[in-house]
Amino acid sequence: MKSRPGLDQLGLSAGKKARLHRILYRHGLGNGTAIFLPYDQGLEHGPRDFFANAPASDPKYIIKLALEGGFNGIAIQIGLAEKFYWDYAGEVPLVLKLNGKTDIPSTIDPLSPVNASVEDAVRLGADAVGYTLYVGSPAQEHDFGQYLRVREDARRLGMPLIVWSYPRGTAIDGKGGKDSFYAVDYAARTASELGADVVKVNFPHPEKQAGVPEEYVGEFSSQMAIDAVVRSANRTLLLVSGGERAGDAAMLEKARESMEAGATGLIFGRNVWQREHEESLRFASQLIEILAKYPAP
Amino acid sequence: MKSRPGLDQLGLSAGKKARLHRILYRHGLGNGTAIFLPYDQGLEHGPRDFFANAPASDPKYIIKLALEGGFNGIAIQIGLAEKFYWDYAGEVPLVLKLNGKTDIPSTIDPLSPVNASVEDAVRLGADAVGYTLYVGSPAQEHDFGQYLRVREDARRLGMPLIVWSYPRGTAIDGKGGKDSFYAVDYAARTASELGADVVKVNFPHPEKQAGVPEEYVGEFSSQMAIDAVVRSANRTLLLVSGGERAGDAAMLEKARESMEAGATGLIFGRNVWQREHEESLRFASQLIEILAKYPAP
Amino acid sequence: MKSRPGLDQLGLSAGKKARLHRILYRHGLGNGTAIFLPYDQGLEHGPRDFFANAPASDPKYIIKLALEGGFNGIAIQIGLAEKFYWDYAGEVPLVLKLNGKTDIPSTIDPLSPVNASVEDAVRLGADAVGYTLYVGSPAQEHDFGQYLRVREDARRLGMPLIVWSYPRGTAIDGKGGKDSFYAVDYAARTASELGADVVKVNFPHPEKQAGVPEEYVGEFSSQMAIDAVVRSANRTLLLVSGGERAGDAAMLEKARESMEAGATGLIFGRNVWQREHEESLRFASQLIEILAKYPAP
Amino acid sequence: MKSRPGLDQLGLSAGKKARLHRILYRHGLGNGTAIFLPYDQGLEHGPRDFFANAPASDPKYIIKLALEGGFNGIAIQIGLAEKFYWDYAGEVPLVLKLNGKTDIPSTIDPLSPVNASVEDAVRLGADAVGYTLYVGSPAQEHDFGQYLRVREDARRLGMPLIVWSYPRGTAIDGKGGKDSFYAVDYAARTASELGADVVKVNFPHPEKQAGVPEEYVGEFSSQMAIDAVVRSANRTLLLVSGGERAGDAAMLEKARESMEAGATGLIFGRNVWQREHEESLRFASQLIEILAKYPAP
Amino acid sequence: MKSRPGLDQLGLSAGKKARLHRILYRHGLGNGTAIFLPYDQGLEHGPRDFFANAPASDPKYIIKLALEGGFNGIAIQIGLAEKFYWDYAGEVPLVLKLNGKTDIPSTIDPLSPVNASVEDAVRLGADAVGYTLYVGSPAQEHDFGQYLRVREDARRLGMPLIVWSYPRGTAIDGKGGKDSFYAVDYAARTASELGADVVKVNFPHPEKQAGVPEEYVGEFSSQMAIDAVVRSANRTLLLVSGGERAGDAAMLEKARESMEAGATGLIFGRNVWQREHEESLRFASQLIEILAKYPAP
């Protein structure tokens, strides 16, 4: 395993360190790794994502699943946090997602508008906030502006900031697409440069080379690619996202390669809860088995 | 009847709970259901909506109608609230509508600009505020921004927030239209994710399937559709809107199905006041008869 | 005469009522009616409007004319108020116009930017502020936003708010034009819904029916039209504007019909000062004769 | 000579009057007239304007020239004021220019962004601030907005406000152009309406009549035109600008006509410093000779 | 050598002077010159810039290199400053770069959004802040606006402001391009006019004359061009940028000519760290040898 940055190295304030410590060492395996359950798809995609497993439409079901499955945190929007987190407050860490959008209008050059504040997160007892940054979107000027305010509030209030660092926009579509090695590598670095404490990226696809800068043209294994991405994130803790539902074996292999590369953990949503309850728990336990092999030193 | 969320489950502050309690248990039937009389059409459509029943042009007539008809509240804009609510202040709850627009310029990709504040609502003795969110409009970035400020003010001042959650824009026009099951279901969920206390939606039309995501293609009865919409709203109280004037029998059936699905109530304007006074009262009493069958447990 | 709203009915604060009382009962006829002299054309159209009567270029001449003619107020922009109102401060009420624009760039879809504050009005001893709202312009989102701030400041400082409610924009051009019955009726209602204390409208032209909603297609006399417009303004005091210079007889007839309909008064600029001094006074006195026939009860 | 407004008539606060008094009576001729040396071309046009007289590239050279030439003030941007005004602080009044732009991007419909504050001017010991208003530009909404903030700060801090009132934009290009009588006349009036204390205009060209409103079509001598422009500025002190370098005789004649019309003074930059040092002083002295003939009464 | 402005001449506050003194006289050669190591390419270009020398991907490696190489400062973004500067805090001055962008979306008419504040710089112990100004971009209105806020914060907190003054945009592309003599000369002057303490420019290319203003058409040696550029910056300290990696001999000659012209120093990034470690140090030492020949008097 590549070395992973320790909490002591990140230049964290007491508040940020206390909350990250709680997530990494007081929940889940408690070994310095983490697996998060994201549940913002009701806003991002609409209720259609719940048709595959009807109970998943109920936020209470999901929070309970996070608890039963041994997750280190649940990432939800303000409305659900206010109405449902109370039931299990403190039992599983809350990551309050601060921005989001529907996928109804064109998402060609997207921006994810802020709908909650870091103060909301503090009030609700959250241990981190999440922000979606669309790296490469022409709306980046607006995006960086609202991100800046979130980052400053998070610093002021000692709240860890997790950046969903997502390459998007017509430009990136012409440079290998949103999950090319080039795009994911740049996204990891951007989050690091802009002061994220934790960055969430998709798993890179080094074979997507159409239009990428020449440095990314060549033979790269997926392990080499994820190694480089973790390196680009440097002292920003890195989480690998599950993305759309896919085959379990491939998912588990991605997870293993990510941890091998020095990632701190995983953030898997639809791959977990778009199946029947016992199946969700079984798959989560397989992911956690992998995390168990990569404890903090 | 499907179960309906109780006021204890919604994570409400004392102020929000006190005001919602007043609306739901101290006015109208006082059984935990509600019927509202909306009267923002003078701004939204202009005086032409009053030609069908000339006295309806007078705000005083409407507020009196709400009182006589046993409504749980009247929803009006700031100008009318300032000039007319005083006459009947406290006799019928006021829902101050905080945004609105004329329908003169193109409404292809709409936004409803804010014209009053939650402070205005407090000052006028309102028991709730209303905000129109155009779900799916490309202007959603601007919309979410002004909504956020309203939501935060409403939280700070303990004022219940009712979201008029309306799918709109060219994108939704190409996905079944603004009252497709898909659109209404997404709108209900969006309001819930963004922290509405109450959401107002149109009755869904499951037969409108042109261009909707595949999950919404199939045989759905209108009862199945409204059941799903109420589920998507989860702990957000749901009101079904009457919309444009239509046949009474169809309207009453919609109302019944909505309450059966677990809706908290109805919000009917033109269907009520675009007819002669006694007829308005008669129709309102038929709606209230339905509500009487669905008391809170 | 149709009944006219009294100052007691408008839900006014002490400050607003005191200032409106001063305008309506301590100046002009002192009988509850009012005639205003607007003089913002130097900004709106440029000095060309003064070529018809050269002395009218001098703001001092105009303020003196308002005083001599027995007007209830003069409406001017900040620059002239600061430099010229001092000479006659208190002798004739000041309406500080808070926004305005030149007519040099295209005014197809206009917005009138704010150039002074309600605080400026207080500081200068004004008894009201004026705001031009372009009803139906696609810029209405921006317009409503700056209007909201003006309305809130006016409320906070007890300053009456007069809205120049002007239908404008390509959409209204296709619906009978800016002075169709439909457009003027909607404009009056919009100002009322948005919380104006007083609204200034153009006289409606019911014969302009090309493209108007069906409710406005039919035989309406000009008296019927202005009656409806005053009704749409409900408890918002209504002033009828003179507009471009036209024949005296027609003007006087419009004025009479307006007062008959329940208008509170008139606001005539170019029709007054675009003629030689004695002629201006003579025409003003004819308008005032009409007002004398419609005293408050 | 036409009468010129005295400082007592302008409705000035003590601070504004004190500073204007200093400029008009304690510097230059001290006779109530003024000549300013503007030096913002380094930003507006770039260093190319200094190729005609290389020493003019050095701000220190220019400030010294203003002092030697007996100018009433020097108008420069914040950067030069901070780095160079110190050397001669108090010896010649400083007009801090608060906005400006490069001429690199298209200036079709321009706006001049603010780059310094009235507070900066106070801190640096300035006796006035300058603001460029592009009258007629479609960007006027934005322009009026930032101008409003400058005007309010200037009022609060007792700082005289000089408006560079420049007709610009495609619309004015089609109405006789930026220095037509129509355009300059409207610009002078606009500054007055918006509350400028002093307005700087170009000399009007009454022969440019293509597309101007009919009132401006006719036989007007240049004296008639500048007389009208000064009248349109009413109680706003008027400065005539030199503009691009042109023949001395024509310039001096313009200056004379301007003073005859009631202008308060001149603001000549390139015509002064785009020549060798002694020549600059000689030409300035000719301008000052003209001013000497028009003392305040 | 042309004379170089001394710290006493710049109108600096105590705080700005103290920090610039620290950079110029307590680090590097300590002779009043400076060489900076910029490292914002991870954001501006992405990790691809590190493929030429893999260790350069690690911010710790770069900061150490700056220390070993005797640099006067390191310029990095907020994220790296927070996570890595701590290790060597105080050992090498920090220039916190306050804005930046990715190069993924079109950069035709660019703006560099702010992502950190002057307060961040103070908190982290920085001795200067950096701001990229895209001179000539149509976005200059927005750019000047955010620059203004940075300049004011820097003044308030006594923090030196280094402007990366970069000509950009379609207009400049048609006037000789971004490194023409015309463009660089204008950029240096713009930074000076707008109040930069230090300006960073590219080395001018006087042979690029297609479309430049006539004053820049002619025979200019590169020494003449850089002389003029330094003159245009007047009392703003000037740094010459290395830009893309190029041949060492040409680079060293540029450096020599720059210092000869009166530049205060150099800012070389990719030319230094896009090579193996010992080579980086060797090249840096050659640059420093040049600086040694131009001590402050």
Side-chain angles (χ1 to χ4, degrees):
Chain A
M1 174 183 115
K2 301 296 181 310
S3 80
R4 210 159 63 208
L7 285 188
D8 293 349
Q9 291 180 285
L10 312 187
L12 297 168
S13 66
K16 288 197 176 197
K17 194 174 165 209
R19 287 185 170 99
L20 281 177
H21 180 86
R22 197 144 55 214
I23 291 172
L24 296 172
Y25 293 99
R26 298 289 166 193
H27 288 273
L29 290 169
N31 72 343
T33 66
I35 178 167
F36 293 89
L37 192 64
Y39 184 65
D40 56 352
Q41 293 83 357
L43 177 59
E44 297 287 341
H45 309 140
R48 69 182 158 91
D49 271 17
F50 309 130
F51 279 60
N53 176 35
S57 167
D58 181 1
K60 185 167 182 172
Y61 168 88
I62 295 288
I63 301 180
K64 210 168 145 212
L65 177 62
L67 199 58
E68 290 171 354
F71 283 78
N72 295 68
I74 173 119
I76 50 180
Q77 299 280 349
I78 182 71
L80 305 191
E82 288 189 333
K83 299 192 193 88
F84 292 92
Y85 185 59
W86 194 92
D87 294 338
Y88 299 98
E91 299 184 45
V92 60
L94 171 63
V95 177
L96 186 67
K97 191 76 199 314
L98 300 185
N99 62 347
K101 59 174 188 54
T102 74
D103 68 354
I104 299 174
S106 163
T107 55
I108 289 177
D109 292 320
L111 176 83
S112 183
V114 163
N115 59 56
S117 67
V118 181
E119 280 81 358
D120 283 324
V122 171
R123 170 173 62 89
L124 291 164
D127 281 319
V129 291
Y131 181 91
T132 297
L133 187 78
Y134 287 126
V135 175
S137 168
Q140 75 175 331
E141 293 161 22
H142 188 166
D143 204 0
F144 282 25
Q146 68 175 7
Y147 169 78
L148 169 58
R149 290 187 293 276
V150 166
R151 184 182 63 70
E152 289 187 337
D153 286 345
R155 190 184 58 73
R156 183 172 51 85
L157 296 164
M159 181 65 68
L161 172 52
I162 305 177
V163 171
W164 270 233
S165 200
Y166 283 174
R168 285 292 186 284
T170 44
I172 209 72
D173 291 346
K175 298 180 183 175
K178 68 187 182 180
D179 53 4
S180 67
F181 174 19
Y182 162 66
V184 175
D185 200 25
Y186 204 156
R189 181 80 188 196
T190 297
S192 170
E193 296 266 347
L194 296 183
D197 299 306
V198 183
V199 59
K200 176 199 186 200
V201 293
N202 285 311
F203 198 88
H205 288 249
E207 73 282 7
K208 299 200 175 174
Q209 304 190 352
V212 302
E214 57 181 356
E215 290 86 349
Y216 291 91
V217 177
E219 289 288 321
F220 301 98
S221 68
S222 63
Q223 186 66 59
M224 287 162 75
I226 187 68
D227 283 357
V229 168
V230 173
R231 216 156 49 226
S232 290
N234 49 71
R235 288 182 180 168
T236 303
L237 304 183
L238 188 135
L239 304 176
V240 172
S241 164
E244 288 181 35
R245 189 150 179 213
D248 285 10
M251 280 287 149
L252 294 168
E253 176 60 12
K254 276 207 236 174
R256 198 196 54 73
E257 287 181 3
S258 299
M259 295 309 293
E260 189 64 29
T264 292
L266 308 169
I267 178 159
F268 274 53
R270 283 171 287 172
N271 279 284
V272 170
W273 49 252
Q274 276 187 342
R275 49 178 114 196
E276 184 274 335
H277 187 246
E278 289 307 312
E279 274 302 291
S280 296
L281 289 175
R282 192 192 53 74
F283 183 62
S285 74
Q286 289 177 307
L287 293 167
I288 290 171
E289 266 173 46
I290 294 169
L291 297 188
K293 293 180 188 143
Y294 298 89
Chain B
M1 174 185 115
K2 300 298 181 307
S3 79
R4 210 159 62 208
L7 285 189
D8 293 348
Q9 292 180 284
L10 312 187
L12 297 168
S13 66
K16 288 197 176 199
K17 194 173 165 210
R19 288 187 169 96
L20 281 178
H21 179 86
R22 197 144 57 214
I23 291 173
L24 295 172
Y25 293 100
R26 298 289 165 191
H27 289 273
L29 290 169
N31 72 343
T33 67
I35 178 166
F36 293 89
L37 192 63
Y39 184 64
D40 56 351
Q41 293 82 356
L43 177 59
E44 297 287 341
H45 310 141
R48 68 180 159 93
D49 271 16
F50 309 129
F51 280 60
N53 177 34
S57 167
D58 181 3
K60 185 168 183 171
Y61 168 88
I62 294 288
I63 300 179
K64 212 170 145 211
L65 177 63
L67 199 58
E68 291 171 353
F71 283 78
N72 297 68
I74 173 117
I76 50 180
Q77 300 279 350
I78 181 72
L80 305 191
E82 288 189 332
K83 299 193 192 86
F84 291 92
Y85 185 59
W86 193 92
D87 293 339
Y88 299 99
E91 300 184 45
V92 61
L94 170 64
V95 178
L96 185 67
K97 191 75 199 314
L98 301 185
N99 62 347
K101 59 174 189 55
T102 73
D103 68 354
I104 299 173
S106 163
T107 55
I108 289 177
D109 291 319
L111 176 83
S112 183
V114 164
N115 59 56
S117 67
V118 181
E119 279 81 359
D120 283 323
V122 171
R123 171 173 63 88
L124 291 163
D127 281 320
V129 290
Y131 181 92
T132 297
L133 188 78
Y134 287 126
V135 175
S137 168
Q140 77 175 330
E141 293 160 22
H142 188 165
D143 204 0
F144 281 26
Q146 68 176 6
Y147 168 78
L148 169 59
R149 290 185 292 277
V150 166
R151 183 183 63 71
E152 289 187 338
D153 286 345
R155 190 184 57 72
R156 182 171 52 85
L157 295 164
M159 181 64 68
L161 172 53
I162 306 178
V163 171
W164 271 233
S165 200
Y166 283 175
R168 284 292 185 286
T170 44
I172 210 71
D173 291 347
K175 299 180 182 174
K178 67 187 182 180
D179 54 4
S180 67
F181 175 19
Y182 162 67
V184 176
D185 200 25
Y186 205 156
R189 180 81 188 195
T190 297
S192 170
E193 296 266 347
L194 296 184
D197 298 306
V198 183
V199 60
K200 175 198 186 200
V201 293
N202 285 311
F203 198 87
H205 288 250
E207 73 282 6
K208 299 199 175 174
Q209 303 189 353
V212 302
E214 56 181 356
E215 290 86 349
Y216 292 91
V217 177
E219 289 289 321
F220 301 98
S221 68
S222 62
Q223 187 65 60
M224 286 163 76
I226 187 68
D227 283 358
V229 168
V230 173
R231 216 156 48 226
S232 289
N234 50 69
R235 289 182 179 169
T236 302
L237 304 183
L238 188 135
L239 304 176
V240 171
S241 164
E244 287 180 36
R245 190 151 178 211
D248 284 9
M251 280 287 149
L252 294 168
E253 176 59 13
K254 276 208 236 176
R256 199 195 53 73
E257 287 181 2
S258 300
M259 295 309 293
E260 190 64 29
T264 291
L266 308 169
I267 177 159
F268 274 53
R270 283 171 288 172
N271 279 283
V272 170
W273 50 253
Q274 277 188 342
R275 48 178 114 197
E276 183 276 334
H277 187 246
E278 289 308 313
E279 273 302 292
S280 296
L281 289 174
R282 192 192 52 74
F283 183 62
S285 74
Q286 289 177 307
L287 292 167
I288 289 169
E289 268 173 46
I290 293 168
L291 297 188
K293 294 181 188 139
Y294 298 91
Chain C
M1 174 184 114
K2 301 297 182 305
S3 79
R4 209 160 60 208
L7 284 190
D8 293 348
Q9 291 180 283
L10 312 187
L12 296 169
S13 66
K16 287 197 176 199
K17 193 172 166 213
R19 288 187 170 97
L20 281 178
H21 180 87
R22 197 144 57 214
I23 291 172
L24 295 173
Y25 293 99
R26 298 289 165 192
H27 288 273
L29 291 169
N31 70 343
T33 66
I35 177 167
F36 293 89
L37 192 64
Y39 184 64
D40 57 351
Q41 293 83 356
L43 177 59
E44 297 287 341
H45 310 141
R48 68 182 160 92
D49 271 16
F50 310 130
F51 280 60
N53 176 34
S57 165
D58 182 3
K60 184 168 184 172
Y61 168 88
I62 295 289
I63 300 180
K64 213 170 143 209
L65 177 63
L67 199 58
E68 291 171 354
F71 284 77
N72 296 67
I74 173 119
I76 50 180
Q77 300 280 349
I78 181 72
L80 305 190
E82 287 188 333
K83 299 191 193 88
F84 292 92
Y85 185 59
W86 194 91
D87 293 339
Y88 299 98
E91 299 185 44
V92 60
L94 171 64
V95 178
L96 186 67
K97 191 75 199 315
L98 301 186
N99 61 348
K101 60 174 188 56
T102 74
D103 68 355
I104 299 173
S106 164
T107 55
I108 289 177
D109 292 319
L111 175 84
S112 183
V114 164
N115 59 57
S117 67
V118 181
E119 280 82 357
D120 283 324
V122 172
R123 172 172 62 88
L124 291 164
D127 281 319
V129 290
Y131 181 92
T132 297
L133 188 77
Y134 286 126
V135 176
S137 168
Q140 78 176 330
E141 293 161 21
H142 188 164
D143 205 0
F144 282 25
Q146 67 175 7
Y147 168 78
L148 169 58
R149 289 186 294 277
V150 166
R151 184 183 63 71
E152 289 188 337
D153 286 345
R155 190 184 57 72
R156 184 171 51 85
L157 295 164
M159 181 64 67
L161 172 53
I162 306 178
V163 170
W164 271 233
S165 201
Y166 283 175
R168 284 291 186 286
T170 45
I172 210 71
D173 291 346
K175 298 180 182 173
K178 66 188 183 181
D179 53 4
S180 67
F181 176 19
Y182 162 67
V184 175
D185 201 25
Y186 205 156
R189 180 81 188 196
T190 297
S192 171
E193 296 266 348
L194 296 184
D197 299 305
V198 183
V199 59
K200 175 198 186 200
V201 293
N202 285 312
F203 198 88
H205 288 250
E207 73 282 6
K208 299 199 174 175
Q209 302 188 354
V212 303
E214 57 181 357
E215 290 85 349
Y216 291 91
V217 177
E219 289 288 322
F220 301 98
S221 68
S222 63
Q223 187 66 60
M224 286 163 76
I226 187 69
D227 283 357
V229 168
V230 173
R231 216 157 47 228
S232 289
N234 50 69
R235 290 182 178 168
T236 303
L237 305 182
L238 187 135
L239 305 175
V240 172
S241 164
E244 286 180 38
R245 191 153 177 209
D248 285 8
M251 280 287 149
L252 294 167
E253 177 58 13
K254 275 208 237 176
R256 199 195 53 73
E257 288 181 3
S258 300
M259 296 309 293
E260 190 62 31
T264 292
L266 308 168
I267 177 159
F268 274 53
R270 282 170 289 171
N271 279 284
V272 171
W273 49 252
Q274 277 187 342
R275 47 179 113 197
E276 183 275 335
H277 186 245
E278 289 307 313
E279 273 302 292
S280 296
L281 289 174
R282 192 192 53 74
F283 183 62
S285 74
Q286 290 176 307
L287 293 168
I288 289 170
E289 269 174 44
I290 294 169
L291 297 189
K293 294 180 188 141
Y294 299 89
Chain D
M1 173 184 116
K2 302 297 182 305
S3 79
R4 209 160 61 207
L7 285 189
D8 292 348
Q9 292 180 283
L10 312 187
L12 297 169
S13 66
K16 287 198 176 199
K17 194 173 165 211
R19 288 187 170 97
L20 282 177
H21 180 86
R22 197 144 57 213
I23 291 172
L24 295 172
Y25 294 98
R26 298 290 166 191
H27 288 272
L29 290 169
N31 71 343
T33 66
I35 177 167
F36 293 89
L37 192 63
Y39 184 65
D40 56 352
Q41 293 82 356
L43 177 60
E44 297 287 340
H45 309 141
R48 68 183 159 92
D49 271 17
F50 309 130
F51 280 60
N53 176 35
S57 166
D58 181 4
K60 185 166 183 173
Y61 168 89
I62 295 288
I63 301 180
K64 212 168 144 210
L65 177 64
L67 199 58
E68 291 170 354
F71 284 78
N72 296 69
I74 173 119
I76 50 179
Q77 300 279 349
I78 181 70
L80 305 191
E82 288 189 333
K83 298 191 193 89
F84 291 92
Y85 185 60
W86 194 91
D87 293 339
Y88 299 97
E91 299 183 45
V92 61
L94 171 64
V95 178
L96 186 67
K97 190 77 198 314
L98 301 186
N99 61 348
K101 59 173 189 55
T102 74
D103 68 355
I104 298 174
S106 164
T107 55
I108 289 177
D109 291 319
L111 175 83
S112 182
V114 164
N115 59 57
S117 67
V118 181
E119 280 82 358
D120 283 323
V122 172
R123 170 173 63 88
L124 291 164
D127 281 319
V129 290
Y131 181 91
T132 297
L133 188 78
Y134 286 126
V135 176
S137 168
Q140 78 176 329
E141 293 161 20
H142 188 165
D143 205 0
F144 281 25
Q146 67 175 7
Y147 169 77
L148 169 58
R149 289 186 293 276
V150 166
R151 183 183 63 71
E152 289 188 337
D153 285 346
R155 191 185 56 73
R156 183 171 51 85
L157 295 165
M159 181 64 67
L161 172 53
I162 305 177
V163 170
W164 271 233
S165 201
Y166 284 174
R168 285 291 185 287
T170 45
I172 210 71
D173 291 346
K175 298 179 183 175
K178 67 188 182 181
D179 54 3
S180 66
F181 174 19
Y182 162 66
V184 175
D185 201 24
Y186 204 157
R189 181 80 187 197
T190 298
S192 170
E193 297 266 348
L194 296 184
D197 299 304
V198 183
V199 60
K200 176 198 185 199
V201 294
N202 285 311
F203 198 88
H205 288 250
E207 73 281 7
K208 299 199 174 175
Q209 303 189 352
V212 303
E214 57 181 356
E215 290 86 349
Y216 291 92
V217 177
E219 289 288 320
F220 300 99
S221 68
S222 62
Q223 186 67 59
M224 287 164 74
I226 186 69
D227 282 358
V229 168
V230 173
R231 217 157 48 226
S232 290
N234 50 69
R235 289 182 179 168
T236 303
L237 305 183
L238 187 134
L239 304 176
V240 171
S241 164
E244 288 181 36
R245 193 154 175 208
D248 284 8
M251 280 287 148
L252 293 168
E253 177 59 14
K254 275 208 237 175
R256 199 196 54 72
E257 288 181 2
S258 300
M259 295 310 293
E260 191 62 31
T264 292
L266 307 169
I267 177 161
F268 274 54
R270 283 171 288 172
N271 279 283
V272 171
W273 49 252
Q274 277 187 343
R275 49 179 112 196
E276 184 275 334
H277 187 247
E278 289 307 311
E279 273 301 292
S280 297
L281 290 174
R282 193 192 53 74
F283 182 62
S285 74
Q286 289 177 309
L287 293 167
I288 289 170
E289 268 173 45
I290 294 168
L291 297 188
K293 294 180 188 143
Y294 297 91
Chain E
M1 173 183 115
K2 301 297 182 306
S3 80
R4 210 159 63 207
L7 285 189
D8 293 349
Q9 291 180 284
L10 312 187
L12 297 168
S13 66
K16 287 197 176 198
K17 194 173 165 210
R19 287 186 170 98
L20 281 177
H21 180 87
R22 198 144 57 213
I23 291 172
L24 296 172
Y25 293 99
R26 297 290 165 191
H27 288 272
L29 289 168
N31 72 342
T33 67
I35 178 166
F36 294 89
L37 192 63
Y39 184 65
D40 57 352
Q41 293 83 356
L43 177 59
E44 298 287 340
H45 310 140
R48 69 180 158 92
D49 272 17
F50 309 130
F51 280 61
N53 176 36
S57 167
D58 181 3
K60 184 167 183 173
Y61 167 88
I62 295 287
I63 300 180
K64 212 169 145 210
L65 177 63
L67 199 59
E68 290 170 353
F71 283 79
N72 295 69
I74 174 119
I76 50 180
Q77 300 279 349
I78 182 69
L80 305 191
E82 288 189 332
K83 297 191 194 90
F84 291 92
Y85 185 60
W86 194 92
D87 294 338
Y88 299 97
E91 300 184 44
V92 60
L94 171 65
V95 177
L96 187 68
K97 192 76 198 313
L98 300 185
N99 62 347
K101 59 173 188 56
T102 73
D103 68 355
I104 299 174
S106 163
T107 55
I108 289 177
D109 292 319
L111 176 82
S112 182
V114 164
N115 59 56
S117 68
V118 181
E119 280 82 359
D120 283 323
V122 172
R123 170 172 63 89
L124 291 164
D127 281 319
V129 291
Y131 180 92
T132 297
L133 188 78
Y134 287 126
V135 175
S137 168
Q140 76 176 330
E141 293 161 22
H142 188 166
D143 204 1
F144 281 26
Q146 66 175 6
Y147 169 77
L148 169 58
R149 291 187 292 277
V150 166
R151 183 182 63 71
E152 289 187 337
D153 286 344
R155 191 185 55 74
R156 183 171 51 85
L157 294 165
M159 181 65 67
L161 172 53
I162 305 177
V163 170
W164 271 233
S165 200
Y166 284 174
R168 285 290 186 287
T170 45
I172 210 71
D173 291 346
K175 299 179 183 175
K178 67 187 181 180
D179 54 4
S180 66
F181 174 19
Y182 162 67
V184 175
D185 201 24
Y186 205 156
R189 182 80 188 198
T190 297
S192 170
E193 296 267 347
L194 296 184
D197 299 304
V198 183
V199 60
K200 176 199 186 199
V201 294
N202 285 310
F203 198 88
H205 288 249
E207 74 282 6
K208 298 198 174 174
Q209 304 190 351
V212 302
E214 57 181 357
E215 290 86 348
Y216 291 92
V217 177
E219 289 288 320
F220 300 99
S221 67
S222 63
Q223 185 67 59
M224 287 163 74
I226 187 69
D227 283 357
V229 168
V230 172
R231 217 156 49 226
S232 290
N234 49 70
R235 288 181 179 168
T236 304
L237 305 183
L238 187 135
L239 304 176
V240 171
S241 164
E244 286 180 37
R245 188 149 180 213
D248 285 9
M251 280 288 148
L252 294 168
E253 177 58 14
K254 276 208 236 175
R256 198 195 54 73
E257 286 181 3
S258 300
M259 296 309 293
E260 190 63 30
T264 292
L266 307 169
I267 177 160
F268 274 54
R270 284 171 287 172
N271 279 283
V272 170
W273 50 252
Q274 277 187 342
R275 50 178 113 197
E276 184 275 335
H277 187 245
E278 289 307 312
E279 274 302 291
S280 297
L281 290 175
R282 192 191 52 74
F283 183 62
S285 74
Q286 289 177 309
L287 292 168
I288 290 171
E289 267 173 46
I290 294 168
L291 298 188
K293 294 179 186 142
Y294 298 90

